[in-house]
PDB file of all heavy atoms in Angstrom:
ATOM      1  N   HIS A 264      67.547 -20.065  -8.914  1.00 98.00           N
ATOM      2  CA  HIS A 264      68.482 -21.081  -8.492  1.00 98.00           C
ATOM      3  C   HIS A 264      68.437 -22.332  -9.332  1.00 98.00           C
ATOM      4  O   HIS A 264      69.456 -22.987  -9.526  1.00 98.00           O
ATOM      5  CB  HIS A 264      68.312 -21.419  -6.998  1.00 98.00           C
ATOM      6  CG  HIS A 264      68.692 -20.314  -6.076  1.00 98.00           C
ATOM      7  ND1 HIS A 264      69.979 -19.897  -5.914  1.00 98.00           N
ATOM      8  CD2 HIS A 264      67.964 -19.555  -5.239  1.00 98.00           C
ATOM      9  CE1 HIS A 264      70.067 -18.923  -5.025  1.00 98.00           C
ATOM     10  NE2 HIS A 264      68.828 -18.676  -4.603  1.00 98.00           N
ATOM     11  N   LEU A 265      67.224 -22.698  -9.734  1.00 97.00           N
ATOM     12  CA  LEU A 265      67.061 -23.848 -10.647  1.00 97.00           C
ATOM     13  C   LEU A 265      67.811 -23.572 -11.975  1.00 97.00           C
ATOM     14  O   LEU A 265      68.527 -24.476 -12.481  1.00 97.00           O
ATOM     15  CB  LEU A 265      65.587 -24.164 -10.887  1.00 97.00           C
ATOM     16  CG  LEU A 265      65.262 -25.425 -11.663  1.00 97.00           C
ATOM     17  CD1 LEU A 265      65.871 -26.686 -11.027  1.00 97.00           C
ATOM     18  CD2 LEU A 265      63.771 -25.549 -11.806  1.00 97.00           C
ATOM     19  N   TYR A 266      67.716 -22.424 -12.508  1.00 97.00           N
ATOM     20  CA  TYR A 266      68.444 -22.054 -13.725  1.00 97.00           C
ATOM     21  C   TYR A 266      69.954 -22.043 -13.457  1.00 97.00           C
ATOM     22  O   TYR A 266      70.718 -22.484 -14.341  1.00 97.00           O
ATOM     23  CB  TYR A 266      67.967 -20.713 -14.296  1.00 97.00           C
ATOM     24  CG  TYR A 266      66.763 -20.854 -15.205  1.00 97.00           C
ATOM     25  CD1 TYR A 266      65.479 -20.854 -14.684  1.00 97.00           C
ATOM     26  CD2 TYR A 266      66.962 -20.985 -16.539  1.00 97.00           C
ATOM     27  CE1 TYR A 266      64.377 -21.007 -15.524  1.00 97.00           C
ATOM     28  CE2 TYR A 266      65.844 -21.181 -17.438  1.00 97.00           C
ATOM     29  CZ  TYR A 266      64.592 -21.167 -16.884  1.00 97.00           C
ATOM     30  OH  TYR A 266      63.508 -21.313 -17.710  1.00 97.00           O
ATOM     31  N   ALA A 267      70.351 -21.566 -12.269  1.00 98.00           N
ATOM     32  CA  ALA A 267      71.814 -21.576 -11.976  1.00 98.00           C
ATOM     33  C   ALA A 267      72.287 -23.069 -11.908  1.00 98.00           C
ATOM     34  O   ALA A 267      73.361 -23.369 -12.380  1.00 98.00           O
ATOM     35  CB  ALA A 267      72.024 -20.876 -10.671  1.00 98.00           C
ATOM     36  N   PHE A 268      71.470 -23.891 -11.283  1.00 98.00           N
ATOM     37  CA  PHE A 268      71.761 -25.362 -11.192  1.00 98.00           C
ATOM     38  C   PHE A 268      71.959 -25.915 -12.601  1.00 98.00           C
ATOM     39  O   PHE A 268      72.913 -26.657 -12.871  1.00 98.00           O
ATOM     40  CB  PHE A 268      70.656 -26.038 -10.375  1.00 98.00           C
ATOM     41  CG  PHE A 268      70.677 -27.549 -10.436  1.00 98.00           C
ATOM     42  CD1 PHE A 268      71.680 -28.223  -9.771  1.00 98.00           C
ATOM     43  CD2 PHE A 268      69.703 -28.211 -11.150  1.00 98.00           C
ATOM     44  CE1 PHE A 268      71.685 -29.633  -9.791  1.00 98.00           C
ATOM     45  CE2 PHE A 268      69.698 -29.619 -11.162  1.00 98.00           C
ATOM     46  CZ  PHE A 268      70.721 -30.328 -10.498  1.00 98.00           C
ATOM     47  N   HIS A 269      71.042 -25.552 -13.461  1.00 97.00           N
ATOM     48  CA  HIS A 269      71.098 -25.988 -14.896  1.00 97.00           C
ATOM     49  C   HIS A 269      72.361 -25.574 -15.533  1.00 97.00           C
ATOM     50  O   HIS A 269      73.052 -26.348 -16.164  1.00 97.00           O
ATOM     51  CB  HIS A 269      69.833 -25.443 -15.571  1.00 97.00           C
ATOM     52  CG  HIS A 269      69.857 -25.501 -17.027  1.00 97.00           C
ATOM     53  ND1 HIS A 269      69.883 -26.672 -17.805  1.00 97.00           N
ATOM     54  CD2 HIS A 269      69.791 -24.476 -17.984  1.00 97.00           C
ATOM     55  CE1 HIS A 269      69.880 -26.392 -19.096  1.00 97.00           C
ATOM     56  NE2 HIS A 269      69.819 -25.083 -19.209  1.00 97.00           N
ATOM     57  N   HIS A 270      72.701 -24.253 -15.421  1.00 98.00           N
ATOM     58  CA  HIS A 270      73.892 -23.736 -16.036  1.00 98.00           C
ATOM     59  C   HIS A 270      75.183 -24.357 -15.473  1.00 98.00           C
ATOM     60  O   HIS A 270      76.117 -24.702 -16.196  1.00 98.00           O
ATOM     61  CB  HIS A 270      73.945 -22.255 -15.963  1.00 98.00           C
ATOM     62  CG  HIS A 270      72.900 -21.556 -16.763  1.00 98.00           C
ATOM     63  ND1 HIS A 270      72.575 -20.244 -16.632  1.00 98.00           N
ATOM     64  CD2 HIS A 270      72.108 -22.020 -17.785  1.00 98.00           C
ATOM     65  CE1 HIS A 270      71.595 -19.928 -17.479  1.00 98.00           C
ATOM     66  NE2 HIS A 270      71.319 -20.995 -18.164  1.00 98.00           N
ATOM     67  N   LEU A 271      75.228 -24.457 -14.161  1.00 98.00           N
ATOM     68  CA  LEU A 271      76.393 -25.053 -13.533  1.00 98.00           C
ATOM     69  C   LEU A 271      76.605 -26.494 -13.820  1.00 98.00           C
ATOM     70  O   LEU A 271      77.723 -26.959 -14.087  1.00 98.00           O
ATOM     71  CB  LEU A 271      76.382 -24.840 -11.986  1.00 98.00           C
ATOM     72  CG  LEU A 271      76.485 -23.381 -11.495  1.00 98.00           C
ATOM     73  CD1 LEU A 271      76.084 -23.281  -9.993  1.00 98.00           C
ATOM     74  CD2 LEU A 271      77.866 -22.883 -11.725  1.00 98.00           C
ATOM     75  N   THR A 272      75.503 -27.226 -13.884  1.00 97.00           N
ATOM     76  CA  THR A 272      75.607 -28.657 -14.232  1.00 97.00           C
ATOM     77  C   THR A 272      76.066 -28.786 -15.674  1.00 97.00           C
ATOM     78  O   THR A 272      76.942 -29.653 -15.991  1.00 97.00           O
ATOM     79  CB  THR A 272      74.265 -29.340 -14.045  1.00 97.00           C
ATOM     80  OG1 THR A 272      73.848 -29.198 -12.642  1.00 97.00           O
ATOM     81  CG2 THR A 272      74.290 -30.830 -14.374  1.00 97.00           C
ATOM     82  N   GLY A 273      75.541 -28.041 -16.588  1.00 96.00           N
ATOM     83  CA  GLY A 273      76.018 -28.038 -17.983  1.00 96.00           C
ATOM     84  C   GLY A 273      77.470 -27.638 -18.131  1.00 96.00           C
ATOM     85  O   GLY A 273      78.201 -28.253 -18.910  1.00 96.00           O
ATOM     86  N   THR A 274      77.887 -26.659 -17.376  1.00 97.00           N
ATOM     87  CA  THR A 274      79.288 -26.199 -17.416  1.00 97.00           C
ATOM     88  C   THR A 274      80.191 -27.327 -16.954  1.00 97.00           C
ATOM     89  O   THR A 274      81.246 -27.582 -17.520  1.00 97.00           O
ATOM     90  CB  THR A 274      79.451 -24.924 -16.530  1.00 97.00           C
ATOM     91  OG1 THR A 274      78.676 -23.898 -17.125  1.00 97.00           O
ATOM     92  CG2 THR A 274      80.902 -24.479 -16.521  1.00 97.00           C
ATOM     93  N   ALA A 275      79.796 -28.015 -15.840  1.00 97.00           N
ATOM     94  CA  ALA A 275      80.569 -29.125 -15.334  1.00 97.00           C
ATOM     95  C   ALA A 275      80.644 -30.224 -16.344  1.00 97.00           C
ATOM     96  O   ALA A 275      81.767 -30.855 -16.528  1.00 97.00           O
ATOM     97  CB  ALA A 275      79.998 -29.611 -14.015  1.00 97.00           C
ATOM     98  N   ASP A 276      79.581 -30.512 -17.046  1.00 96.00           N
ATOM     99  CA  ASP A 276      79.583 -31.583 -18.006  1.00 96.00           C
ATOM    100  C   ASP A 276      80.566 -31.301 -19.155  1.00 96.00           C
ATOM    101  O   ASP A 276      81.331 -32.184 -19.598  1.00 96.00           O
ATOM    102  CB  ASP A 276      78.173 -31.827 -18.580  1.00 96.00           C
ATOM    103  CG  ASP A 276      78.049 -33.089 -19.375  1.00 96.00           C
ATOM    104  OD1 ASP A 276      78.131 -34.227 -18.770  1.00 96.00           O
ATOM    105  OD2 ASP A 276      77.847 -33.024 -20.601  1.00 96.00           O
ATOM    106  N   PHE A 277      80.587 -30.045 -19.616  1.00 96.00           N
ATOM    107  CA  PHE A 277      81.527 -29.667 -20.689  1.00 96.00           C
ATOM    108  C   PHE A 277      83.004 -29.678 -20.175  1.00 96.00           C
ATOM    109  O   PHE A 277      83.896 -30.042 -20.927  1.00 96.00           O
ATOM    110  CB  PHE A 277      81.204 -28.337 -21.264  1.00 96.00           C
ATOM    111  CG  PHE A 277      80.020 -28.404 -22.295  1.00 96.00           C
ATOM    112  CD1 PHE A 277      78.793 -27.922 -21.923  1.00 96.00           C
ATOM    113  CD2 PHE A 277      80.225 -29.054 -23.493  1.00 96.00           C
ATOM    114  CE1 PHE A 277      77.744 -28.054 -22.839  1.00 96.00           C
ATOM    115  CE2 PHE A 277      79.173 -29.164 -24.416  1.00 96.00           C
ATOM    116  CZ  PHE A 277      77.932 -28.658 -24.058  1.00 96.00           C
ATOM    117  N   ALA A 278      83.155 -29.298 -18.872  1.00 97.00           N
ATOM    118  CA  ALA A 278      84.510 -29.347 -18.277  1.00 97.00           C
ATOM    119  C   ALA A 278      85.004 -30.773 -18.186  1.00 97.00           C
ATOM    120  O   ALA A 278      86.198 -31.054 -18.318  1.00 97.00           O
ATOM    121  CB  ALA A 278      84.502 -28.685 -16.893  1.00 97.00           C
ATOM    122  N   THR A 313      68.794 -31.424 -16.682  1.00 97.00           N
ATOM    123  CA  THR A 313      68.344 -30.261 -16.002  1.00 97.00           C
ATOM    124  C   THR A 313      67.399 -29.456 -16.826  1.00 97.00           C
ATOM    125  O   THR A 313      66.472 -28.826 -16.233  1.00 97.00           O
ATOM    126  CB  THR A 313      69.554 -29.347 -15.586  1.00 97.00           C
ATOM    127  OG1 THR A 313      70.308 -28.984 -16.720  1.00 97.00           O
ATOM    128  CG2 THR A 313      70.399 -30.092 -14.578  1.00 97.00           C
TER     129      THR A 313
END
Side-chain angles (χ1 to χ4, degrees):
H264 288 293
L265 185 58
Y266 273 86
F268 170 71
H269 165 62
H270 291 165
L271 291 169
T272 301
T274 299
D276 193 67
F277 282 107
T313 57

